[in-house]
Amino acid sequence: MAEQVFHVPNITCGHCVATIKNELSEIKGVKSVDGDPGTKNVSVVWDSPATKEQILALLKEINYPAD
């Protein structure tokens, strides 16, 4: 199991976090997603078959790219 905190500068509110949670939860293997609009951080816990690359690609696709 892997866990990482991603900094996502485009987060401005709770709705942004909810969108990210909904989208990332669709990836098979993603166990949990939590976000904080104040710090603009998203914490993701995942297991195989999900990958960090998939998570980063989806964040970019939904206009919340991580830096």
Side-chain angles (χ1 to χ4, degrees), residues 20-33 44-59 61-62:
I20 291 168
K21 282 183 177 186
N22 288 339
E23 293 289 333
L24 291 183
S25 294
E26 301 269 323
I27 297 174
K28 188 172 182 168
V30 170
K31 303 296 182 195
S32 70
V33 181
V44 185
V45 177
W46 72 92
D47 212 342
S48 185
T51 65
K52 178 180 175 180
E53 290 73 24
Q54 279 182 308
I55 293 164
L56 289 171
L58 183 56
L59 285 170
E61 183 181 317
I62 62 172

Side-chain angles (χ1 to χ4, degrees), residues 15 39 42 52:
H15 182 262
T39 61
V42 176
K52 178 180 175 180

